[in-house]
Amino acid sequence: MTTEIPLTELDAALWEGLETAHWSSPATMVPRVLHRMALAGPEASPEDCELLHCLVPEPGRPLPSAAPVAVPLLLALARDPGMGAVRAPLTVLLARVLRADSELAARHRPDTLPLLADRDPAVRRAALPLAPDPECLLGLWRIEADPSVRLSLVRALGMTGTTGARAVLAETLTEDHPALYVAAVHASAVLDPDLPVRHLPRLLSLLTDPSLRARFDDVWYVPHRPDALTREHLLWTTYGLLAPHPELQAAFPGHLLAAAERTGDETLRREAVLLARHHTA
């Protein structure tokens, strides 16, 4: 076994009578999946991790009784470097479980904080919801160097609305990295819905410049999605930010199409046409 999980805690008898959040997933399945993942180590399957999302309650529902028993075992797997690429989805799962129960999260905080400083950027990104407060996020922002984690931090800070977070967003709105700048606009829109309008010329310039397209790759990640979003995804989300201004939103696909015709960017042209059809549907 790659990860040292006490076998006694994987005894199915200990899980009998416990419940998951889904009637089709008995609690006795959880130790079997955990055991299989621990044995597989770096070859563990992301599909097995998906099976464990039965520990996450529906919004407004209490945490199922199997979840507190599973959390220490999930932590053991997520913190083990030998578990390879499955560590990030395990950390996403942990964050979803612990955010559903503040007392359980506080109890395990000493064991979850190391995930925020993990060597793997994917684990650090996934662990951001485990940050106990905005000050922790600000501290991470000051030391983080990986662009993908910095981008996720910008988005997480934007949700806090604190004075420190607003300062970070204002600073990042002057950022040269196009994806970080766009992330700052998106995050700031939560606090100031008119800000994307004021920044629309630069947004259009960055999102339609073929030479910058590669700089949007491999940096913009969202929870529950293993792959990074592309520039084309961001065209749609930026379009959504313009909803408070229907006339600007209606004109947005036309601006993209004009830029595509000017630069010969066929991918941009295709997305512009799809956006235009969506708008008129």
Side-chain angles (χ1 to χ4, degrees):
M1 184 181 295
T2 301
T3 302
E4 292 188 9
I5 292 180
L7 292 177
T8 54
E9 296 186 34
L10 296 174
D11 186 345
L14 296 178
W15 298 74
E16 290 177 2
L18 299 181
E19 296 180 345
T20 69
H22 301 285
W23 64 268
S24 60
S25 301
T28 51
M29 176 202 71
V30 175
R32 294 198 301 271
V33 174
L34 290 167
H35 191 205
R36 184 163 65 235
M37 293 181 76
L39 286 173
E43 305 302 321
S45 167
E47 286 73 20
D48 278 343
C49 189
E50 286 299 316
L51 291 174
L52 296 174
H53 279 265
C54 65
L55 298 168
V56 180
E58 296 294 328
R61 301 287 297 173
L63 202 66
S65 56
V69 180
V71 164
L73 311 180
L74 294 172
L75 271 165
L77 291 172
R79 291 181 56 178
D80 183 352
M83 291 303 298
V86 81
R87 297 177 63 224
L90 279 169
T91 304
V92 169
L93 170 61
L94 262 171
R96 293 189 68 196
V97 169
L98 293 176
R99 292 190 74 183
D101 190 306
S102 58
E103 291 186 7
L104 186 67
R107 187 157 70 245
H108 289 285
R109 187 159 295 144
D111 298 315
T112 58
L113 288 178
L115 293 169
L116 291 163
D118 195 87
R119 294 180 62 182
D120 186 346
V123 174
R124 297 201 301 276
R125 286 195 308 266
L128 289 180
L130 295 169
D133 51 50
E135 284 303 313
C136 178
L137 292 173
L138 285 170
L140 295 171
W141 171 259
R142 296 184 189 105
I143 62 174
E144 183 57 63
D146 184 90
S148 72
V149 186
R150 286 178 67 79
L151 192 148
S152 294
L153 273 165
V154 164
R155 296 171 63 238
L157 283 164
M159 297 300 294
T160 70
T162 64
T163 300
R166 290 172 184 268
V168 167
L169 292 177
E171 170 194 337
T172 313
L173 286 170
T174 66
E175 170 68 51
D176 288 334
H177 193 296
L180 277 173
Y181 164 77
V182 174
V185 173
H186 283 220
S188 299
V190 176
L191 307 170
D192 180 0
D194 290 332
L195 184 139
V197 175
R198 300 196 296 274
H199 286 257
L200 189 55
R202 189 181 178 199
L203 282 171
L204 284 167
S205 174
L206 296 178
L207 289 169
T208 61
D209 186 339
S211 68
L212 296 178
R213 185 181 177 197
R215 299 198 69 194
F216 288 95
D217 293 343
D218 300 324
V219 293
W220 195 305
Y221 288 83
V222 294
H224 320 314
R225 183 186 177 96
D227 301 319
L229 298 186
T230 64
R231 179 196 66 168
E232 285 65 52
H233 289 109
L234 301 183
L235 297 175
W236 288 81
T237 53
T238 303
Y239 166 85
L241 293 181
L242 299 175
H245 301 272
E247 71 287 353
L248 292 177
Q249 189 179 55
F252 185 70
H255 290 306
L256 300 181
L257 189 58
E261 297 295 340
R262 185 171 62 252
T263 61
D265 189 333
E266 282 302 309
T267 304
L268 179 61
R269 188 190 69 79
R270 182 174 63 250
E271 293 301 322
V273 170
L274 290 173
L275 265 170
R277 290 175 180 170
H278 171 80
H279 188 81
T280 57

